[in-house]
Amino acid sequence: MPCKILEKERLIPGQTSKLVIDAPHIAKKALPGNFVILRVCEKGERIPLTIADADPERGTITIVYLVMGKSTALLETLDAGDSILDLCGPLGKATHIEKAGTVICVGGGTGIAAMHHIAKGHHKAGNHVVAVIGARSKDLLLFYDELSSFCPEVLVSTDDGSFGHKGLVTDLLRQRLETDKTVSEVVAVGPVPMMAAVAKTTEPFGVKTTVSLNSIMVDGIGMCGACRVSVGGETRFACVDGPEFDGHKVDFNELRQRLAAFKPQEKASYDHHCKCTCAGEK
Amino acid sequence: MTATAERKPAGGRKIAPRVDMPCQPAGERIRNFEEVALGYTQQMATEEALRCLQCKNPKCVKGCPVEVPIRDFIGQLAKGDLEGAYRTIKSTNSLPGVCGRVCPQENQCEGACVLNAKGQPVAIGRLERYVADTYMALDACDHLAARLTCPAVDPELRVACIGSGPASLTVAGYLSARGIKVTVFEALHEVGGVLVYGIPEFRLPKSAIVEKEVQALRTQEVDFVTNWVGGRTFSIDDLFAEGYRAVFIGVGAGLPRFLGVPGENLTGVFSANEYLTRVNLGRAYAFPDYDTPVYQGRNVTVYGGGNVAMDAARTALRLGAESVRIVYRRTRDELPARHEELEHAEEEGVILELLANPVAFHGDEMGRLTGVTLQRMQLGEPDASGRRSPVPVEGDTYELPTDLAVIAVGTRPNPILLEATPQLKLSRRGYIEVAEETGETSIPNVFAGGDIVTGAATVILAMGAGRRAAKEIRRRLKGGE
């Protein structure tokens, strides 16, 4: 059943937007770590997007996406008042959250939005949440205010030094782990190289590290196996066994290769879309 | 009366040969996704219907898991009473257009036909297909004298089906025809389950057949809710809290099995479920007009020997592959696929790579599949299932180039609903345990049927299970027999 978009905010114009969607049935059940699968139009593909926030009372969920191919470009053409054709969820296993002390939540790029929901869950469970977020520059930093509203510490790094530490999130993470022995868990959501780097950073400290994997999915309900990842030498399905796994056991190289599987087709689809829309037909 | 006596028709009438089904020529059909078998004409159907001996004690009906009164519908068809024939089939079968196409008739009704002794049973499946297609075409054109009427549905008697495949559609058809309100919840965006994501268009047209069968259920006031995932969007307890009186679980088989050999996660190795879902549900054959992409392999290898393997192989041919091989550990005689599908596949150019078993996949530096190492096999002693088990021929391995591999070796139970419903009793293999007679699970008034109970099987067996459960649900909700 189509779900109406109530609010749209262009976080980074032309690149990243936030949608608040009317979906009471999903909002009621959504937990940190869950995702949805959506389809924008009749001929559209099914794409997975992490739930960045859920408000069961208002009956809404929030998603944040990066425009990177045809499907997200189509999603970007929708505005408040428009509807998403299919919205299915909440999917995936929820984040394992328990009161454990200090938890560092690391987010990069659009992953910060997804990390936000997890950080909120840890905060509600009574944990001391340290948010570590990074972007190329200050303008591209997401969810700083939202995280600041409940995280006692929000540490920022930018590639160009326009805000916070000049460098990578892993620099901040390493410094923290070196000085703070109370950290019980590190959670990382973001691009694959970032998650791999976080896992590598935490490993010498022996801190439990959870990563949220963005594998290619088709159905998202455990049917197709497109999202399979190697974790500790075993094949697991990100959609039903994950999307969160032990970062120290994930084969990130394989994940990176599998994510590139459809690059030529994605480009063909995007070019086809641009040609069609330029010619005045959709 | 013995079967031999029954086989001889009164007056010693000679039985005419079985009427062939016209097909698209192989050279043509591998370039499109249109249906391969074209169906009987009226004349062919009548001629074939007249071959039926109208046995006093018809064995064909016993061979049918949903007990279609086969003799009666063929008799009506032979007399030109198409509507009568349709009503007769519909009295026990909610999906005649589907069953006429994908049932393994040779093992069921046709396998039990007395004419089978000469290898020429009545073409029951083709006749069923003719009746369903022709009736639906007439119905669509308002050419029918009287439509099937829908009984008054009691809004208080609500039943939920989880999953919208053949088992649930059967439950919905049976109960709604008896005045019970059914809501079907489907996790995907399209209704039909395996009929939509699994079986290719060239074997079972989606809009022409599946959608029409679903539409027929809608006119019986069955509600369909898509994008609702049992165990995630709602629980079984939620359904009872909302006033449903019984629940039927027909969520299918689920997680694909892999071979467990090195290189299996290389780019270009797909499960059959993924490959077929991309093409069938996502219409990837029409990419980039449709957005779902799929790999176009040049040298394709498919692992497994069932109908799903045939479907994947034939799909790859239609998507432009240069060579398509079905790699199977046993010989041609043991291939579990339907004979007709195997025949169609071979006509189209699918190569059988028999007595071979994959031991490793190989890829390039980008992680893309380039080849496979196969182990030569031979048949040894029969295994527990009675089939001769394949054993490796020591030291005899060989390489095949392949850039698209499709694994079609079955499935495991999907965990989503089962994990969310820990009180459901499962079998040792992890499927739902049910009472054989009624299909009831360990939770009162919760029934299950189809692949989530049996493991991957056929459409018609799922429908048989649906019918059993539906009978019991009806009895409990309305009483009587």
Side-chain angles (χ1 to χ4, degrees), chain A residues 234-251:
Chain A
E234 269 180 61
T235 293
R236 310 288 300 275
F237 292 1
C239 70
V240 290
D241 300 325
E244 292 173 11
F245 294 101
D246 180 345
H248 296 146
K249 293 187 177 160
V250 170
D251 182 340

Side-chain angles (χ1 to χ4, degrees), chain B residues 26 83 117 173 183 205 230 245 247 249 259 263 271 273 323 344-345 349 354 359 385 388 420 454 460:
Chain B
E83 276 190 52
T183 306
R245 307 269 293 270
V247 174
I249 304 172
L259 297 161
S271 74
N273 263 1
S323 76
H344 282 163
L354 298 166
V359 288
S385 67
R388 290 178 65 194
T454 57
I460 190 70

Side-chain angles (χ1 to χ4, degrees), chain B residues 174-188:
Chain B
Y174 185 95
L175 294 179
S176 61
R178 285 157 183 82
I180 293 170
K181 177 76 189 168
V182 180
T183 306
V184 178
F185 295 94
E186 166 57 50
L188 294 174

